[in-house]
Amino acid sequence: MRLPGMAAAPQQAAGAPSSQEITAALHRGGALFAAKRFGDAGDVARLILRFEPKHPDALHLLGLVTLAEGKPADAERLMLQALKRSGPHPVLLVNLGNAARGQEKTEKALRYYDQAIALKAQHEDAWIERGILLTSLVRYGEAAEAFERAIALNPANVAAYSGAAHVASEMGLFRKAIAYCESGMAQTSTPPIEMPSMIAVSYERLSELDAAIEAAEKVLAVNPDHATCLRVLTKAQRRQNKGNRDVLLGLKARLEGVHISSLSNDDASVVYSELAHICDELGETETAYVYFGKLNETRRSVIVERNLDDTLYLQHVETLHAEMTPEVLARVRANAASLPVERGGRTPVFIIGFPRSGTTLLDQILDAHPDVQVIEEQPLVNALRRAVEALPGGFTKALQTMREPQRKKLQELYWRELGKHGGDFSKKVIIDKMPLSIVHAVVIAAVFPDAKIILALRHPADSCLSCFMQDFELNGAMLNFTDMARTVRLYDLVMGLWQRYEGHLELDVCEVRYENLVTDLRAEVIPVLDFLGLDWDEAVSDPAAHALARGTIRTPSYAQVTQPIYASATDRWRRYAPYIADELPVLEKHITYFGYAD
């Protein structure tokens, strides 16, 4: 981290160090900070401040040390004192942005970065930090632009290529991610290991499995316990050798030889996940469940490390349960029915359901149709929900009393957001696929009374077990899947809420069952196409080919949908029934409601 060297030292008091001595001390402090000797760097800054309590560079250095020590609010206070004494400087403003970001004051952080750029548009660090923040806010288009600006300013800046590659990967642009990594690696003889690792991951996501294995092996030759590349290697080989017991046993032995105790919790979870899935494929059910348990133990440790709140989503659904009473829903329905429906306009279509219920497979099947575009897992309905919450009277009242001008504005907001996420309005049908939009079906009903909803169903026990077995990114609802009892609790809340919606709202729904999709695709899909006003097209019969051609599947099911349809995951819960016996009674009413009772 650089210090700006903004201010000349004031007139020295008798016995105080000279300006040259202070400058030398600041250089020493900066070098100590760069070497991550934060305590020593802080001692240097505090020593200078004993003699010159308002020295801006010393305040700035102490602020950097304080930020590195995990105290961003104190860091911001010190840097603001430096700013007051020295005036604006891009380096100081960037570091203020980092301190604000550390407090999750994201808009304030963006203002600091923008101020730095306004002072010096060529300040590449400001663009990089801005890109990092925008990435965390899922504002990928703006983040990509920021990293591109940094690359243009300094084509040798490896960090800018790394950031751009990460954004491209998050957007599902895996070839672009590979290109950024290769460009970044060409700038240095010692590229960060994350770059060749991302190349391996990207090839596996593209289902170019030979290239993925080759890239992973290059990393593993240097670091044999590199968890990400171990996962790429084992996953790619499992996909190439489906059901090959000898290959699976070899992969299991390789992973069991990893020194897992020396890994971070993030990396340990990767290894446990692969071991669990290998054992599941081998039919070693008890061992698999033990490894799934270890996977989720490490994920819970990560939740603690990151200070994540795993109660928020559950509380949100519980609040919806409390507020969306039959009486409220009846008023929502009556109000929606009293408003005029535009004839001949666009009709929104939604794929919803509990996670791991076959939504990604259904997405690929329908997206293969030439008249259909599926927008994958974007927070479009969440944007509607937030807009409803901002209406006079708040969320629950607004749903019941919404007037036509308000509804028109909300509809326009939705279509704008859909366009931002790549909606192609020349298609006959655009489908918004976000499974957990199911909890906000009441918003869909209030804003779009003519909406079409495709409900993806799977045996409740299989859905819950599959969520528990999945190494999801830890956010929102996914935080609840680290514990089987909590997973079932969330299923009970989500699908219980859906059953209430279904009973009290006017919803136009077509059900699709995962079990039927994988045994007789045509018979299950033709009613869906009829529901959407579309004719059968042979392209929908080969979702694996479409998925491979698409190459940008962003969900955890990408590996399953890029291979021929198989039915081995149906009724998997029966093998695990002894281990989930305590949770099954909670699911009984849903098993009966959705027609899965034996």
Side-chain angles (χ1 to χ4, degrees):
M1 192 69 70
R2 291 179 289 129
L3 288 168
M6 298 174 287
Q11 184 65 40
Q12 306 296 322
S18 67
S19 60
Q20 292 84 356
E21 289 172 323
I22 288 176
T23 298
L26 282 168
H27 283 303
R28 172 68 176 157
L32 289 166
F33 182 86
K36 299 187 177 181
R37 292 172 58 182
F38 302 131
D40 293 337
D43 289 343
V44 170
R46 281 184 282 267
L47 181 60
I48 295 170
L49 292 170
R50 277 179 52 194
F51 294 100
E52 294 193 23
K54 298 178 181 179
H55 195 290
D57 288 356
L59 287 166
H60 187 184
L61 175 59
L62 188 56
L64 288 172
V65 169
T66 306
L67 180 60
E69 291 174 341
K71 296 177 281 188
D74 292 340
E76 185 182 14
R77 178 180 53 79
L78 288 162
M79 292 180 196
L80 284 171
Q81 291 180 40
L83 184 68
K84 182 178 179 181
R85 302 299 170 191
S86 68
H89 188 283
V91 174
L92 179 52
L93 287 165
V94 167
N95 291 328
L96 273 164
N98 295 343
R101 192 171 83 212
Q103 301 168 71
E104 299 185 1
K105 298 178 179 177
T106 55
E107 291 305 317
K108 190 175 187 181
L110 277 175
R111 287 197 297 273
Y112 282 133
Y113 297 143
D114 289 345
Q115 288 171 33
I117 289 166
L119 280 176
K120 186 181 179 182
Q122 296 78 26
H123 196 275
E124 62 196 78
D125 286 352
W127 287 108
I128 289 173
E129 298 297 343
R130 191 176 196 277
I132 291 170
L133 176 57
L134 290 166
T135 302
S136 72
L137 296 174
V138 198
R139 291 164 61 176
Y140 294 138
E142 295 170 85
E145 181 183 350
F147 290 124
E148 283 284 2
R149 291 293 296 270
I151 291 169
L153 290 168
N154 180 6
N157 192 318
V158 176
Y161 290 105
S162 181
H166 178 67
V167 171
S169 180
E170 290 296 316
M171 296 174 73
L173 304 174
F174 300 114
R175 293 202 187 283
K176 201 167 187 178
I178 291 168
Y180 278 126
C181 287
E182 290 176 342
S183 296
M185 290 167 66
Q187 308 305 318
T188 175
S189 59
T190 56
I193 200 165
E194 290 76 19
M195 284 187 157
S197 171
M198 185 175 288
I199 289 174
V201 169
S202 298
Y203 276 127
E204 198 267 332
R205 293 301 300 264
L206 288 164
S207 295
E208 297 181 17
L209 301 181
D210 287 337
I213 291 168
E214 181 182 355
E217 288 283 26
K218 286 180 181 178
V219 175
L220 293 169
V222 178
N223 182 354
D225 287 353
H226 191 279
T228 298
C229 285
L230 280 169
R231 172 154 60 187
V232 169
L233 179 73
T234 57
K235 198 165 188 178
Q237 291 188 343
R238 283 196 291 121
R239 293 175 65 187
Q240 283 185 328
N241 300 276
K242 193 73 176 171
N244 187 318
R245 187 170 182 81
D246 290 338
V247 170
L248 292 172
L249 288 170
L251 295 174
K252 180 186 176 186
R254 180 165 186 170
L255 290 178
E256 287 181 333
V258 172
H259 299 96
I260 298 180
S261 61
S262 67
L263 300 179
S264 68
N265 283 316
D266 276 318
D267 286 347
S269 69
V270 168
V271 176
Y272 283 134
S273 176
E274 276 303 297
L275 276 167
H277 283 289
I278 289 168
C279 290
D280 179 70
E281 287 190 41
L282 285 167
E284 298 175 3
T285 304
E286 182 177 0
T287 306
Y289 198 75
V290 168
Y291 279 131
F292 283 124
K294 289 181 179 292
L295 157 67
N296 284 298
E297 284 175 19
T298 59
R299 296 173 77 226
R300 287 193 292 274
S301 296
V302 172
I303 290 171
V304 173
E305 286 173 1
R306 297 182 188 171
N307 196 29
L308 301 174
D309 190 339
D310 61 356
T311 65
L312 290 178
Y313 191 82
L314 209 58
Q315 290 172 356
H316 175 62
V317 182
E318 287 172 339
T319 298
L320 286 170
H321 258 274
E323 295 182 354
M324 296 298 111
T325 63
E327 294 75 21
V328 166
L329 295 177
R331 287 192 287 271
V332 172
R333 181 184 64 199
N335 184 69
S338 71
L339 301 176
V341 176
E342 181 183 351
R343 300 299 174 189
R346 299 191 193 107
T347 299
V349 182
F350 302 88
I351 293 177
I352 61 173
F354 200 74
R356 306 298 294 173
S357 292
T359 54
T360 300
L361 175 57
L362 181 59
D363 155 358
Q364 294 305 307
I365 291 168
L366 295 176
D367 192 72
H369 196 287
D371 292 327
V372 175
Q373 180 191 26
V374 179
I375 304 296
E376 278 194 302
E377 307 210 1
Q378 298 294 343
L380 303 171
V381 174
N382 257 335
L384 273 186
R385 174 183 63 83
R386 289 192 297 271
V388 172
E389 288 173 343
L391 291 175
F395 181 72
T396 303
K397 182 177 180 181
L399 289 172
Q400 301 171 77
T401 61
M402 190 181 297
R403 307 318 310 154
E404 181 61 10
Q406 293 171 322
R407 190 171 76 174
K408 292 293 289 182
K409 286 183 179 179
L410 290 167
Q411 290 175 346
E412 290 165 4
L413 166 67
Y414 178 82
W415 295 119
R416 280 199 308 274
E417 290 296 311
L418 191 67
K420 288 179 186 177
H421 290 286
D424 179 358
F425 296 110
S426 69
K427 296 284 188 180
K428 287 185 180 178
V429 176
I430 304 177
I431 300 175
D432 175 353
K433 175 244 179 173
M434 174 64 92
L436 282 170
S437 289
I438 191 170
V439 301
H440 298 124
V442 63
V443 177
I444 295 171
V447 177
F448 291 108
D450 59 337
K452 292 183 176 293
I453 295 175
I454 302 170
L455 175 66
L457 291 174
R458 185 181 184 184
H459 191 291
D462 269 332
S463 289
C464 291
L465 179 63
S466 188
C467 287
F468 179 72
M469 293 166 66
Q470 183 64 49
D471 189 10
F472 285 111
E473 184 177 344
L474 289 171
N475 54 36
M478 309 304 125
L479 293 168
N480 294 281
F481 298 149
T482 61
D483 178 85
M484 191 63 188
R486 285 183 63 138
T487 301
V488 169
R489 167 66 176 155
L490 184 60
Y491 185 97
D492 185 35
L493 286 169
V494 169
M495 301 312 283
L497 186 60
W498 167 257
Q499 290 162 36
R500 194 184 302 167
Y501 289 156
E502 199 168 38
H504 298 281
L505 294 172
E506 294 282 346
L507 300 173
D508 192 7
V509 181
C510 178
E511 292 184 356
V512 179
R513 293 178 185 267
Y514 171 78
E515 294 82 1
N516 296 343
L517 268 184
V518 299
T519 55
D520 191 344
L521 182 150
R522 186 182 182 106
E524 193 71 2
V525 171
I526 284 178
V528 182
L529 296 177
D530 290 343
F531 178 68
L532 299 176
L534 299 171
D535 295 327
W536 172 265
D537 189 287
E538 197 58 33
V540 306
S541 64
D542 193 354
H546 178 71
L548 286 168
R550 191 177 184 183
T552 57
I553 302 163
R554 301 171 56 206
T555 70
S557 302
Y558 70 92
Q560 287 87 355
V561 299
T562 52
Q563 58 187 305
I565 290 176
Y566 58 92
S568 58
T570 60
D571 273 350
R572 179 164 50 189
W573 71 272
R574 295 185 188 279
R575 286 198 286 124
Y576 288 88
Y579 313 105
I580 60 174
D582 290 344
E583 284 72 48
L584 289 174
V586 179
L587 297 175
E588 284 299 333
K589 58 181 177 290
H590 302 292
I591 291 170
T592 300
Y593 181 89
F594 291 117
Y596 282 101
D598 293 333

